[in-house]
Amino acid sequence: MTISHSWRLLRLLAVSAVLVLTAQIFVCRIALRKRPREASHPLPEDVHRILAPETYEYIINQPDMCKERSPFLVFMVPVSPAEAEAREAVRKTWGAPNPNTLTLFYTGLPKGPGVGLFQQKMEEESKVHADIIQMNFQDSYQNLTIKTMMMMNWLATYCPSASYAMKVDADIFVNIFYLVNLLKSAPEQGFITGSVITDGAPRRDRNSKWFLSEELYPEDSFPWYVSGAGYVFSSDLAAKISWGSRFVQMIPLEDVYVGLCLRVVGIKPVYSRSLLTFRNLFEIRNLKYDRCTFARRVIVNQFKPSELVRIWQDFSSGHDNC
Ligand SMILES: *[C@@H]1O[C@H](CO)[C@@H](O)[C@H](O)[C@H]1NC(C)=O
């Protein structure tokens, strides 16, 4: 080998070394940027406290609901204490007693004028129906994240034998016939479905209802999450989401928050689409009632209690003919 040959070889080696190094730094940077901030270590105790289940106490509980049965599907419905009419509508419609399903309402403490009266009425209602669970945090829109984590913790503690659970608002139409069928062929673990939001991002406009400050959430996008109106999951996820929440600072957007907990435990929500048309089965637009249109959805958004009851009468008797 001549001197000029070895010189060239040396140069080649040097250039490749620099290239490899640059590539590595680049990859590292990407990894650092993508790494969820919260996944590295648990939150300090005083920060986690506001969401920790040990912080609050049950005022009303139904601890024996799953002692003698393992429901196929538990409906977990967040409500405010004053929403007695909405609870009644759910009990008369998709939430009615059924061998496959169990329906429970979750609430915090009433606030404002008439607190004592609301509390007394709700306790009477609870004696009649035995389907209300109440914890001693202030019930409010901003505290929905606390309520959601309370529901997860309740399921993991008192009903781990359930197959599936659905977090669903009281103003939603739920097609239990379609849903139960869909779940019969769903994964038994690590499964969550609903209307998946893949391009969510924090609103930095202070006037927005969904405003989120950079202190609370510094990243500029959200991980995939399921819209909070109604989502369904295998019951093992209740404990996993509760565990994940030790790593995630509370934000007042409960559905995004659940998405952040799912990211910690490495679970991605899946979209539910109809086979041929690819239509979203979890409808988050408002749709005018039509029996056969509703027969092809799992949920439809936003109904007043009286509308829900009226629609259900027609739907439950006629959906088979669609
Ligand atoms: C949320 O609940 C906590 C605990 O009861 C309370 O201290 C706080 O004021 C509530 N926040 C809102 C915005 O209601």
Side-chain angles (χ1 to χ4, degrees), residues 50 56 109 111 136-143 146:
I50 184 150
Y56 306 104
L109 292 175
K111 60 170 183 207
N136 66 346
F137 60 86
Q138 193 76 62
D139 201 289
S140 68
Y141 180 76
Q142 293 95 322
N143 274 350
I146 301 182

Side-chain angles (χ1 to χ4, degrees), residues 11-227:
R11 237 181 22 195
L12 202 69
L13 278 175
V15 169
S16 357
V18 168
L19 275 180
V20 168
L21 213 70
T22 322
Q24 244 167 23
I25 290 173
F26 187 66
V27 169
C28 260
R29 276 230 175 128
I30 290 181
L32 273 183
R33 193 153 26 114
K34 289 240 162 114
R35 185 142 113 229
R37 188 178 57 97
E38 69 277 7
S40 34
H41 35 77
L43 297 169
E45 208 157 302
D46 59 317
V47 178
H48 179 54
R49 218 185 111 72
I50 184 150
L51 277 181
E54 309 83 71
T55 309
Y56 306 104
E57 278 165 25
Y58 287 105
I59 309 289
I60 306 174
N61 196 3
Q62 313 292 340
D64 299 332
M65 275 292 152
C66 300
K67 278 231 165 104
E68 251 126 64
R69 60 179 289 212
S70 304
F72 180 66
L73 174 62
V74 181
F75 289 117
M76 302 197 290
V77 189
V79 285
S80 73
E83 287 179 302
E85 200 193 347
R87 291 190 286 273
E88 206 43 47
V90 169
R91 290 186 192 109
K92 282 186 187 151
T93 58
W94 49 265
N98 175 313
N100 279 323
T101 64
L102 171 65
T103 304
L104 295 166
F105 299 98
Y106 295 79
T107 178
L109 292 175
K111 60 170 183 207
V115 166
L117 185 66
F118 278 130
Q119 185 61 31
Q120 193 193 331
K121 276 193 166 168
M122 205 173 61
E123 283 175 17
E124 281 162 21
E125 186 187 330
S126 166
K127 284 201 187 102
V128 176
H129 297 284
D131 59 3
I132 294 175
I133 297 164
Q134 182 185 34
M135 279 195 122
N136 66 346
F137 60 86
Q138 193 76 62
D139 201 289
S140 68
Y141 180 76
Q142 293 95 322
N143 274 350
L144 274 179
T145 309
I146 301 182
K147 196 181 282 180
T148 301
M149 297 321 289
M150 158 197 174
M151 301 192 302
M152 296 299 171
N153 184 60
W154 189 91
L155 192 74
T157 309
Y158 298 107
C159 202
S161 63
S163 304
Y164 297 94
M166 180 176 201
K167 184 261 146 171
V168 58
D169 290 339
D171 62 349
I172 301 288
F173 167 90
V174 183
N175 182 347
I176 45 169
F177 314 103
Y178 198 145
L179 176 57
V180 167
N181 256 332
L182 188 80
L183 289 177
K184 281 182 183 154
S185 56
E188 285 169 13
Q189 289 202 320
F191 170 73
I192 178 163
T193 188
S195 189
V196 183
I197 318 258
T198 56
D199 58 355
R203 304 275 176 96
R204 302 300 192 196
D205 164 16
R206 282 189 185 275
N207 299 319
S208 165
K209 183 183 176 193
W210 297 283
F211 169 70
L212 200 54
S213 72
E214 285 184 46
E215 293 92 81
L216 269 186
Y217 191 83
E219 291 174 66
D220 43 23
S221 65
F222 294 141
W224 288 25
Y225 70 96
V226 277
S227 161

